[in-house]
Amino acid sequence: MLSTETGTLFLHPDRNLALELVRATEAAAIRAVPFIGKGDKLGADGAAVDAMRKFLGTVDFEGTVVIGEGEKDQAPMLFNGERVGTGRGPACDIAVDPIDGTSLTAAGRQNALSMIAVSDRGTMLDASSVFYMNKIVTGAEGHGVIDIRKPIGENIRAFAKAKGKPVDEIVVAVLDRPRHAQLIEDIRATGAGTRLMLDGDVAGGINAALYGTRIDICAGIGGSPEGVATACAIKALGGVIQTVLHPKDDDERGRGQDAGLLFDHVYDADTLVRSDNTFFVATGVTDGGLVQGVKRLGPIIRTESIVLRSHSGTIRRVTADHQAEKWLGE
């Protein structure tokens, strides 16, 4: 703004929306804690949704949920198409998953987290009509090297060469599902190792792109919404994501075609999210390789979050201590 007293031009620092959104993922994670290991995944999800929605309502932005908890009739809160935020500030697409890993939370297993991804309005691919996509994610070394249309063995060997690692030191994260039996066999046939995930391939993809983790590649068929959310994070990390839609049947393919989706087509980071201004925030619910879970330390509740922004290329880890009495009293 221009000062009327001095005539000097003052520019406000560019706003990092993610540092405000992290309050919503922290709240969702904290509210899910009483349900950890209790076998009630619907209860956990409901508590997290309520908390996330409440805090999103305080953020100065005009958000439209592109990827939410489902259609309005099935998800009364945070449904696809819902408007969130105060309505003041930038217009954004938003992808939310109050708990990525409700089954993990209910069972008391690791790697459950709460996440939000944001991009400029109208830039997120709406792939909700096709539930699954085949994906491959790597770090920056995969640019010009990885090709999802090639066999996984070729990709592993090419990526190992680009990264300067022996193939037998490459680790590939894969969801532990019957549909991946052949993929797992093909990975191990190269000499590479696997990291089998019970759930949550968003964290697997981010760990593949982060520097210094034990995961080199994340591959396999997972949710399309998670693929779009992961792309927001990958754009901040400088990594590679390639996906191909994987319809369950001809009816789903038809719905996807009606929605304008392309099949036998490689969607990359720039076509999954057509913006260079993306944000990704995740807070741990249970302990995991990406972030630690919520901990009760006497009068303190401690959360750990990761905050990514593509415009600045920053990766922040946010540890926050919350007064337990403030949460227990609500």
Side-chain angles (χ1 to χ4, degrees):
M1 65 180 179
L2 185 67
S3 167
T4 57
E5 294 181 356
T6 65
T8 304
L9 185 66
F10 293 101
L11 294 177
H12 290 295
D14 200 11
R15 177 181 172 210
N16 190 341
L17 188 62
L19 292 176
E20 300 170 55
L21 295 171
V22 73
R23 296 185 305 126
T25 56
E26 288 171 348
I30 290 170
R31 288 302 190 202
V33 167
F35 297 90
I36 294 174
K38 303 295 178 60
D40 183 5
K41 68 177 185 178
L42 294 179
D45 195 46
V49 169
D50 289 346
M52 179 175 282
R53 190 172 194 265
K54 177 181 176 181
F55 275 82
L56 283 175
T58 70
V59 178
D60 282 335
F61 78 131
E62 184 184 331
T64 299
V65 178
V66 175
I67 298 169
E69 291 287 283
E71 299 302 326
K72 184 174 182 179
D73 291 342
Q74 285 74 41
M77 291 187 287
L78 291 176
F79 57 85
N80 296 350
E82 183 176 353
R83 298 294 180 89
V84 295
T86 64
R88 300 185 298 270
C92 302
D93 285 350
I94 179 169
V96 298
D97 198 341
I99 304 180
D100 181 27
T102 52
S103 296
L104 299 177
T105 302
R109 295 193 174 107
Q110 292 190 335
N111 293 311
L113 51 83
S114 175
M115 63 147 218
I116 297 173
V118 176
S119 66
D120 295 328
R121 183 73 189 106
T123 59
M124 272 189 195
L125 179 72
D126 182 357
S128 57
S129 55
V130 179
F131 190 77
Y132 287 115
M133 55 174 52
N134 192 18
K135 316 170 195 177
I136 188 166
V137 185
T138 74
E141 298 91 346
H143 283 289
V145 174
I146 291 297
D147 186 342
I148 196 170
R149 295 165 295 190
K150 294 181 178 179
I152 188 63
E154 288 187 32
N155 279 313
I156 289 171
R157 286 185 286 270
F159 184 72
K161 182 178 180 181
K163 199 166 184 178
K165 289 179 69 171
V167 169
D168 62 6
E169 292 183 10
I170 295 292
V171 176
V172 183
V174 182
L175 283 171
D176 190 6
R177 300 287 188 273
R179 63 178 178 265
H180 288 148
Q182 186 61 53
L183 175 63
I184 292 167
E185 184 177 326
D186 292 344
I187 291 167
R188 292 172 176 170
T190 69
T194 55
R195 178 70 58 85
L196 300 184
M197 303 177 292
L198 291 173
D199 210 340
D201 66 344
V202 174
I206 294 172
N207 273 322
L210 273 172
Y211 179 78
T213 72
R214 296 181 180 179
I215 294 174
D216 299 287
I217 299 171
C218 185
I221 297 166
S224 297
E226 288 82 356
V228 176
T230 302
C232 288
I234 298 307
K235 297 193 83 160
L237 296 170
V240 175
I241 179 170
Q242 294 180 359
T243 71
V244 176
L245 291 168
H246 188 81
K248 296 191 292 288
D249 50 39
D250 289 340
D251 287 343
E252 192 175 61
R253 177 182 283 268
R255 290 193 296 273
Q257 289 171 337
D258 290 342
L261 296 175
L262 303 175
F263 295 87
D264 303 317
H265 170 82
V266 177
Y267 285 97
D268 61 12
D270 289 330
T271 48
L272 290 168
V273 185
R274 302 183 313 278
S275 170
D276 290 326
N277 186 36
T278 66
F279 305 88
F280 180 89
V281 182
T283 300
V285 176
T286 58
D287 287 344
L290 183 62
V291 282
Q292 294 299 296
V294 180
K295 291 179 173 57
R296 176 70 184 269
L297 305 170
I300 295 298
I301 297 173
R302 179 167 294 169
T303 57
E304 185 182 31
S305 307
I306 187 168
V307 177
L308 309 174
R309 187 184 185 194
S310 66
H311 183 68
S312 57
T314 51
I315 305 169
R316 289 182 171 89
R317 291 193 177 272
V318 178
T319 301
D321 286 347
H322 312 259
Q323 293 184 35
E325 63 180 17
K326 299 286 188 180
W327 290 89
L328 297 176
E330 291 186 359

